[in-house]
Amino acid sequence: MPLPVFETFLKSLKSYSLLNATIVKDQYIPINLSLHNSELKAINVSNSDDLEHFIWNYMKTHNAKVAYGGYLEQRGIYQRSAYFNETNSETERNIHLGIDLWIAAETPIYAPLAGSIHSFKNNINHGDYGPTIILKHHIYSFEFYTLYGHLSMASIENLKVGVEVKQGDQIATLGTAEVNGDYPPHLHFQVIKDIEDYKGDYPGVSNRLDLEFYKKNCPNPNLLLHLV
C-alpha cells in the first residue's frame, strides 16, 4: 500500500542529523521500552535512575552511542504520573507519538530542516517534556512542524518566535532528569502536520481512542530521519 502524500514527501527529504553527524548509523541501536518487553519487568521504570541504568547498560552491551525508538510504542512508564494516567484503559495516554534518542545530557541538538521558531515553553508537569522547542517548516507546498522535548533550560533562554533557523544549526542541548520531566536524558522528536492552537507543547502520547487521529497528524519521524 503506497504511503500518503505527506509521508511520501517526508521520506523524500534529505535531513541533517539531529545529533552530531560524526555519530554514524552503525552506532545507533533500536531499543524496546514497551509494556511487552519482559526485560523491563525487573526494572522500576518509574525511577529515572533505574531506567537510565537499564538504557545505558543496553547501549554499552551493544557498543552503541545512541539508543532510539518508541514510535507508537505502548509504554508503562507513564503510569507514574497523574498527567497521563487514568483508570479507563481507553482514555489512559500511554502510546508514544515521537521517536526518542537516548544519549547524555548536554548533547547538542541540530535542526534537521530549515525553518523558524514557532514557539517554546517549559512544560513542568511530572513526566512532561520540560523545556520544549517547536520549529515551523514550509517546504514546497507543505507546511508542518517539528517538536523537540526534554531539553536543557538554557535551550529556551533568549529565544524569539519567528527567528529563522538554518538546516544544521544547533538549536538546543539535552536536559537532565531534574528539568526534563524526570527522565533519563533523551530527545523526544515529533513531526506534526497541524499544530492546532498549541504553543510550545503538543501531545506526545495518545490514548487508544484518539490514536487514529494522531497517527495521521503525527506520522513516523523516521520517515524523515532515515535511521533504518
Side-chain angles (χ1 to χ4, degrees):
M1 187 176 188
L3 287 170
V5 173
F6 180 61
E7 282 85 338
T8 300
F9 161 72
L10 287 177
K11 192 173 182 180
S12 73
L13 294 175
K14 187 174 182 180
S15 63
Y16 191 87
S17 177
L18 288 169
L19 306 178
N20 191 311
T22 62
I23 305 175
V24 298
K25 278 189 179 182
D26 288 347
Q27 295 171 312
Y28 286 73
I29 186 73
I31 189 169
N32 177 2
L33 297 178
S34 76
L35 286 168
H36 311 294
N37 184 351
S38 59
E39 292 182 33
L40 288 177
K41 292 180 180 178
I43 306 298
N44 179 10
V45 295
S46 296
N47 184 292
S48 60
D49 289 336
D50 290 356
L51 184 59
E52 180 171 340
H53 185 71
F54 172 82
I55 295 169
W56 264 231
N57 274 349
Y58 180 85
M59 286 193 286
K60 184 177 180 180
T61 300
H62 291 85
N63 197 28
K65 292 187 176 180
V66 186
Y68 73 92
Y71 182 64
L72 300 187
E73 195 169 71
Q74 187 177 12
R75 293 176 169 176
I77 188 172
Y78 307 115
Q79 293 175 351
R80 65 186 180 150
S81 173
Y83 184 59
F84 299 98
N85 199 12
E86 296 196 22
T87 55
N88 187 330
S89 63
E90 292 293 312
T91 55
E92 178 186 354
R93 294 197 298 135
N94 63 4
I95 304 170
H96 193 247
L97 298 173
I99 276 185
D100 288 332
L101 301 177
W102 303 89
I103 193 170
E106 299 302 323
T107 294
I109 303 301
Y110 301 91
L113 302 167
S116 61
I117 304 292
H118 169 267
S119 53
F120 54 93
K121 181 183 176 184
N122 186 12
N123 297 284
I124 60 174
N125 292 300
H126 183 228
D128 209 335
Y129 292 127
T132 308
I133 295 173
I134 296 175
L135 298 185
K136 179 179 180 179
H137 309 278
H138 194 104
I139 302 174
Y140 302 119
S141 60
F142 293 93
E143 185 173 281
F144 62 102
Y145 305 82
T146 51
L147 181 149
Y148 309 79
H150 310 298
L151 307 176
S152 65
M153 287 299 298
S155 299
I156 59 172
E157 292 174 359
N158 305 315
L159 282 186
K160 291 184 179 179
V161 170
V163 170
E164 295 295 318
V165 174
K166 295 178 182 177
Q167 185 179 45
D169 279 355
Q170 183 180 334
I171 58 170
T173 56
L174 292 185
T176 62
E178 287 73 24
V179 300
N180 77 357
D182 191 32
Y183 294 99
H186 72 289
L187 175 71
H188 173 101
F189 176 73
Q190 187 168 331
V191 177
I192 304 163
K193 287 173 68 176
D194 179 5
I195 199 71
E196 303 173 71
D197 294 325
Y198 287 90
K199 295 185 186 301
D201 189 18
Y202 192 82
V205 183
S206 175
N207 58 38
R208 284 193 283 183
L209 287 176
D210 299 327
L211 184 58
E212 287 308 308
F213 166 77
Y214 284 117
K215 282 167 67 175
K216 292 176 182 176
N217 202 44
C218 302
N220 190 342
N222 201 42
L223 292 167
L224 178 62
L225 299 182
H226 307 291
L227 293 176
V228 291

